[in-house]
């Protein structure tokens, strides 16, 4: 790292909030409601509430830690500094591997909405375009995210308006039935957590945020609060119009919602909104993955070549190109629905480490409530193990491989 230029602090409060929103109000709101409804049934809204509570705990812990350690890397840095090198490494490993798969899923979502017959080709093109934007500097990424979030919010507002002005039986549509089991509701919460994980992007960009001690602590809860409001409104709208059974089987829940609500002419607009949202999530996620890769490369856990920072644009250009290339390759074989569970498993472990790290802070360092860190830690572990069995197995194998690599390197 000696002699390398550093990243530049250019993001203010508004841009930091928008980076988080670009991650949370993206592919998740268009894709995660169906598998979550399949798991939780009529208890979907309870699952959403559980996911929101745990996300709030995680967000608070992350914000306090990010203010204390305002550098790139997020929980990789916090775990390393507070719990030891192994825990930091595992957090970074879970994040990079899980989120690389998520990026591929988001790129494929763009392809499926823009040109279904050539979804893979479009996905690769989307990754290349987003990587090019990120390469030009964090300001260009923030500007693009600002435009994307505006478009997506307008589309979602239109969906909610159509849904709530259509005739539907509110008590019957939202009633909790026998299909809602404890295990199913917890599994739906774990899947819905996929949608709330975007505030981590703010923390991983800590080295590029101006006045991080103040900005990050405000940006993370603001972004989460806005995203939660949007998800509650859309969950009510889709569940009310389609019902839990039709929502669970919907390939494109929001498109099916506007059609069932009597506005089929709005379906193409929603499809465009979904593609734009996926691009926004992809842009913000690639930012986060490349910055965590940068931090791990600086410490020698990844090839140090990846720690290079461009002298003009002040971005980790080697990391961005490599992550973009890997995402393009994975997009050729990934399944959107399956990867949601896999990604959620890795991210939940990532935040479990964040809560454990925050619990070690002193009062002078801004330690959150013990209750909050405990609920966040236990909640993350519970949701992780109640995800679909295939996701738990795949995630466990990935963690085991990462731990083995670390131990071999240490020896």
């Amino acid at each position: 790292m000696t002699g390398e230029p550093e990243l530049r602090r250019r993001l203010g409060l508004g841009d930091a909030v928008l980076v988080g929103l670009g991650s949370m109000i993206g592919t998740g709101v268009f894709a995660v409601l169906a598998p979550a409804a399949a798991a939780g049934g009529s208890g979907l809204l309870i699952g959403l509430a559980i996911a929101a509570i745990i996300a709030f705990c995680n967000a608070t812990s992350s914000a306090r830690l990010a203010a204390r350690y305002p550098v790139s890397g997020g929980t990789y840095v916090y775990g390393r500094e507070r719990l030891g090198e192994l825990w930091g490494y595992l957090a970074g490993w879970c994040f990079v591997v899980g989120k690389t798969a998520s990026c591929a899923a988001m790129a494929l979502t763009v392809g499926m909405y823009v040109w279904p017959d050539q979804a893979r080709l479009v996905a690769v093109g989307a990754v290349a375009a987003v990587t090019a934007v990120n390469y030009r500097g964090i300001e260009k990424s923030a500007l693009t995210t600002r435009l994307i979030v505006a478009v997506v919010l307008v589309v979602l507002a239109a969906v909610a308006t159509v849904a709530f002005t259509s005739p539907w039986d509110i008590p019957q549509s939202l009633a909790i039935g026998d299909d809602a089991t404890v295990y199913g509701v917890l599994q739906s919460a774990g899947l819905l957590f996929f949608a709330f994980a975007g505030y981590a992007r703010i923390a991983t960009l800590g080295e590029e945020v101006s006045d991080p001690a103040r900005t990050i602590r405000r940006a993370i809860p603001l972004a989460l609060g806005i995203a939660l409001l949007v998800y509650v409104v859309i969950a009510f709208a889709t569940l009310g119009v389609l019902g839990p059974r039709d929502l669970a089987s919907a390939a494109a829940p929001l498109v099916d919602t506007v059609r069932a609500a009597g506005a089929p002419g709005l379906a193409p607009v929603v499809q465009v909104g979904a593609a734009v949202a996926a691009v926004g999530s992809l842009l913000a996620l690639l930012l986060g993955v490349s910055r965590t890769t940068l931090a791990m490369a600086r410490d020698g856990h990844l090839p140090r070549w990846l720690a290079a920072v461009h002298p003009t644009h002040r971005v980790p250009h080697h990391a961005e190109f490599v992550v973009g290339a890997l995402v393009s390759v994975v997009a050729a074989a990934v399944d959107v629905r399956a990867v949601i569970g896999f990604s959620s498993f890795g991210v939940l472990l990532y935040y479990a480490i964040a809560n454990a790290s925050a619990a070690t802070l002193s009062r002078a360092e801004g330690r959150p409530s013990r209750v909050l860190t405990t609920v966040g830690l236990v909640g993350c572990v519970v949701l992780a193990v109640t995800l679909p069995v295939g996701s738990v197995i795949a995630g466990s194998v990935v963690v085991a491989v990462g731990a083995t690599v670390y131990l071999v390197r240490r020896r």
Side-chain angles (χ1 to χ4, degrees):
M1 184 177 158
T2 305
E4 284 287 352
E6 297 180 351
L7 303 183
R8 188 172 295 161
R9 299 191 184 279
R10 298 174 175 176
L11 297 181
L13 176 62
D15 285 332
V17 170
L18 285 168
V19 167
L21 284 177
S23 297
M24 288 185 277
I25 305 178
T27 304
V29 76
F30 290 92
V32 78
L33 291 174
S42 55
L44 173 67
L45 294 177
I46 300 176
L48 179 62
I50 293 172
I53 291 170
I54 295 175
F56 172 77
C57 296
N58 299 343
T60 303
S61 293
S62 296
R64 301 295 176 86
L65 288 162
R68 176 70 178 168
Y69 301 101
V71 295
S72 292
T75 302
Y76 163 70
V77 174
Y78 315 148
R80 181 194 67 198
E81 295 297 323
R82 309 301 308 192
L83 304 175
E85 190 177 274
L86 173 60
W87 293 105
Y89 169 84
L90 288 177
W93 178 269
C94 288
F95 183 85
V96 170
V97 174
K99 287 306 183 180
T100 297
S102 293
C103 288
M106 292 168 185
L108 274 173
T109 301
V110 178
M112 287 188 292
Y113 277 100
V114 172
W115 193 2
D117 293 338
Q118 298 292 333
R120 310 287 182 187
L121 180 62
V122 174
V124 173
V127 173
V130 168
T131 301
V133 170
N134 286 344
Y135 179 83
R136 295 294 299 172
I138 194 66
E139 302 102 321
K140 300 293 189 302
S141 301
L143 174 61
T144 305
T145 301
R146 193 180 301 134
L147 297 174
I148 288 172
V149 169
V151 170
V152 174
L153 287 178
V154 169
V155 171
L156 293 178
V159 172
T161 300
V162 168
F164 286 120
T165 55
S166 66
W168 46 284
D169 188 341
I170 296 178
Q172 184 172 345
S173 298
L174 303 180
I176 308 299
D178 295 336
D179 59 333
T181 65
V182 173
Y183 178 79
V185 168
L186 288 175
Q187 188 174 113
S188 73
L191 293 169
L192 286 163
F193 190 83
F194 171 85
F196 289 122
Y199 50 82
R201 300 307 82 71
I202 302 172
T204 55
L205 296 174
E207 200 170 323
E208 294 161 277
V209 174
S210 59
D211 191 10
R214 181 170 181 268
T215 300
I216 295 177
R217 289 184 65 165
R218 297 172 62 195
I220 289 179
L222 274 174
L224 178 61
I226 296 170
L228 175 59
L229 177 62
V230 171
Y231 270 91
V232 168
V233 170
I234 296 301
F236 267 98
T238 54
L239 196 60
V241 172
L242 297 177
R245 183 173 299 177
D246 289 344
L247 177 58
S249 61
L254 271 62
V255 173
D256 290 356
T257 296
V258 296
R259 285 175 176 160
L266 189 59
V269 176
V270 177
Q271 289 176 311
V272 172
V276 171
V279 170
S281 292
L282 179 61
L283 186 149
L285 254 186
L286 284 174
L287 280 174
V289 175
S290 62
R291 270 56 178 182
T292 301
T293 300
L294 165 72
M296 295 181 74
R298 282 173 169 172
D299 291 340
H301 293 304
L302 293 174
R304 293 190 183 275
W305 178 79
L306 295 172
V309 174
H310 195 281
T312 302
H313 302 304
R314 298 295 180 89
V315 298
H317 55 304
H318 290 175
E320 286 184 346
F321 281 133
V322 169
V323 170
L326 286 175
V327 169
S328 298
V329 171
V330 175
V334 77
D335 175 77
V336 175
R337 286 201 176 202
V339 83
I340 288 175
F342 174 78
S343 176
S344 293
F345 183 87
V347 174
L348 283 163
L349 293 185
Y350 175 87
Y351 281 116
I353 295 173
N355 281 295
S357 300
T360 67
L361 293 170
S362 66
R363 288 185 178 276
E365 293 172 318
R367 185 188 69 214
S369 162
R370 295 289 191 190
V371 174
L372 186 146
T373 55
T374 302
V375 170
L377 173 58
V378 175
C380 284
V381 173
V382 170
L383 293 189
V385 299
T386 54
L387 285 167
V389 175
S391 300
V392 175
I393 293 173
S396 299
V397 169
V398 167
V399 173
V401 169
T404 301
V405 170
Y406 174 84
L407 293 174
V408 169
R409 288 187 66 258
R410 289 287 293 179
R411 291 187 63 181

